[in-house]
Amino acid sequence: MSKNESKQAVSSKAARKILISQPKPESERSPYFDLERKHNVELVFHPFIVLEGIPARDFRKQKIDIQQYSAIIFTSRNAIDHFFRMSEEMKLSIAQDTKYFCITEAVALYLQKFILYRKRKVFYGADGTNKSMLDVINKHKEAEKFLYVCSENQQDNEICSWLKNNNCDFQLAYMYRSISNDIKPVLQKNDYEMICFFTPSGVKSLLDNFPNFKQNGTVITAFGSNTSKAVIDAGFKLEIQVPSPQRPSMVAALDLFLASSLPSKQEAKAEKAVPKTEGKSPSKTAVKAPRKTAAKAIK
């Protein structure tokens, strides 16, 4: 085991209370709840940001004709929600042959809520990374006109740079914006061993609420390269970056992290203090001591 793996293993054992900076899943079948039971941890869900949809009247100022684009890029379920909300507000009909390129399979499957899902028009990366999605886009870049749906104050710079450097015909479409949520009540005591961030705006929200926040050994996990950069730029130590080939999702990362835990020093001391009497007869001293005590008590 490498030094880094060993360090992560030791830290994970203490991660009994984890703060997930997203809303609590509505479905009881969420893998987060399976993770909670499997590792006997407490997962606390609280969104660090609130998304505000940009009204259609303001979106029109961007002078974007959605129907002119043959391919849409989605990096989150929120982007999907606001894309179809905007289309409905503007009374637009999305062409049946429109292609959708998604960051993960989970995001791609979410499209079933809005369209008839067909694999020939829905694509996603193999491991949940920007690179894997961009590898797929690369196969279609010559024939498609891309619309990247994103937040007004949050775009993935890696994706934007790749599209520009590879001469893709693309446009950014700002359909929502993120606002810092009030997280003071949930973080007042700061007794979390781990905090999971999903967006740069989530990191900004933490600093907006607690300008002098000290990490003090708290394990920080970040999803996406932009979020990871925001964590580091804020002066925090980043322990785990997601996604990666071994950690395609936050759940997978937490599962791997917690599964690699080692006994803590306290547990090791407690285990050492317990006498190993299994298979052995009690010593004479152990037998006589209770008798002597009992006799003294009778007197």
Side-chain angles (χ1 to χ4, degrees):
M1 181 181 288
S2 66
K3 290 183 179 179
N4 289 338
E5 289 175 335
S6 177
K7 186 176 181 180
Q8 282 193 354
V10 173
S11 298
S12 67
K13 191 63 182 180
R16 297 297 90 191
K17 194 173 182 182
I18 300 174
L19 178 58
I20 310 292
S21 60
Q22 284 191 330
K24 185 176 182 178
E26 295 180 1
S27 173
E28 291 298 324
R29 295 183 179 181
S30 169
Y32 277 110
F33 300 134
D34 293 333
L35 187 74
E36 201 170 32
R37 290 186 290 267
K38 179 180 178 181
H39 296 287
N40 191 30
V41 295
E42 180 185 355
L43 300 183
V44 178
F45 296 89
H46 190 85
F48 277 33
I49 60 173
V50 176
L51 295 181
E52 179 182 80
I54 293 176
R57 64 177 181 275
D58 292 337
F59 177 75
R60 288 190 178 92
K61 296 176 183 178
Q62 298 179 45
K63 298 181 179 179
I64 295 175
D65 184 353
I66 295 176
Q67 293 176 314
Q68 293 298 311
Y69 294 86
S70 60
I72 315 297
I73 299 174
F74 292 126
T75 56
S76 70
R77 295 180 183 182
N78 291 320
I80 293 176
D81 283 334
H82 287 285
F83 173 77
F84 287 99
R85 172 192 62 80
M86 188 66 70
S87 299
E88 185 176 351
E89 284 186 20
M90 299 179 71
K91 296 180 171 56
L92 300 176
S93 178
I94 306 303
Q96 292 294 321
D97 58 352
T98 299
K99 293 184 174 66
Y100 302 94
F101 294 85
C102 305
I103 189 68
T104 64
E105 182 179 10
V107 172
L109 290 173
Y110 188 67
L111 279 167
Q112 294 178 105
K113 183 177 177 181
F114 302 94
I115 66 169
L116 182 61
Y117 190 93
R118 292 194 182 96
K119 289 187 177 180
R120 68 172 181 269
K121 68 176 184 179
V122 179
F123 308 88
Y124 53 87
D127 58 13
T129 62
N130 282 348
K131 183 181 183 306
S132 64
M133 182 184 71
L134 295 173
D135 285 343
V136 177
I137 291 177
N138 190 49
K139 299 175 183 178
H140 301 264
K141 67 178 183 179
E142 302 298 335
E144 307 297 340
K145 189 173 182 179
F146 297 92
L147 186 67
Y148 174 21
V149 180
C150 52
S151 169
E152 183 180 61
N153 49 359
Q154 180 182 309
Q155 308 89 45
D156 193 307
N157 295 328
E158 184 180 355
I159 294 175
C160 293
S161 297
W162 187 92
L163 292 170
K164 183 177 180 180
N165 294 335
N166 285 270
N167 300 315
C168 294
D169 188 353
F170 80 101
Q171 177 68 47
L172 298 182
Y174 307 133
M175 296 188 179
Y176 57 99
R177 59 176 66 93
S178 56
I179 302 172
S180 294
N181 195 13
D182 181 13
I183 61 173
K184 292 185 178 69
V186 75
L187 257 174
Q188 203 70 51
K189 294 181 179 179
N190 189 25
D191 58 347
Y192 299 95
E193 295 292 341
M194 180 185 292
I195 301 177
C196 301
F197 289 101
F198 295 82
T199 65
S201 297
V203 180
K204 179 179 180 297
S205 176
L206 174 65
L207 296 176
D208 285 345
N209 282 271
F210 298 94
N212 300 316
F213 180 84
K214 302 297 182 183
Q215 189 171 354
N216 293 332
T218 302
V219 178
I220 289 183
T221 308
F223 187 95
S225 57
N226 281 359
T227 308
S228 299
K229 183 177 184 300
V231 168
I232 295 171
D233 289 347
F236 301 134
K237 181 180 180 181
L238 179 62
E239 295 279 350
I240 303 174
Q241 183 174 351
V242 184
S244 70
Q246 295 77 26
R247 302 176 179 87
S249 67
M250 186 62 77
V251 170
L254 293 177
D255 188 27
L256 185 63
F257 183 66
L258 293 170
S260 65
S261 61
L262 297 174
S264 64
K265 293 181 180 179
Q266 291 81 1
E267 289 178 325
K269 288 180 180 179
E271 185 178 349
K272 190 175 181 181
V274 176
K276 298 181 179 180
T277 58
E278 186 178 349
K280 296 182 181 180
S281 59
S283 64
K284 292 182 179 179
T285 304
V287 173
K288 288 182 178 179
R291 291 179 181 175
K292 190 174 182 180
T293 304
K296 189 174 182 180
I298 292 172
K299 287 181 181 181

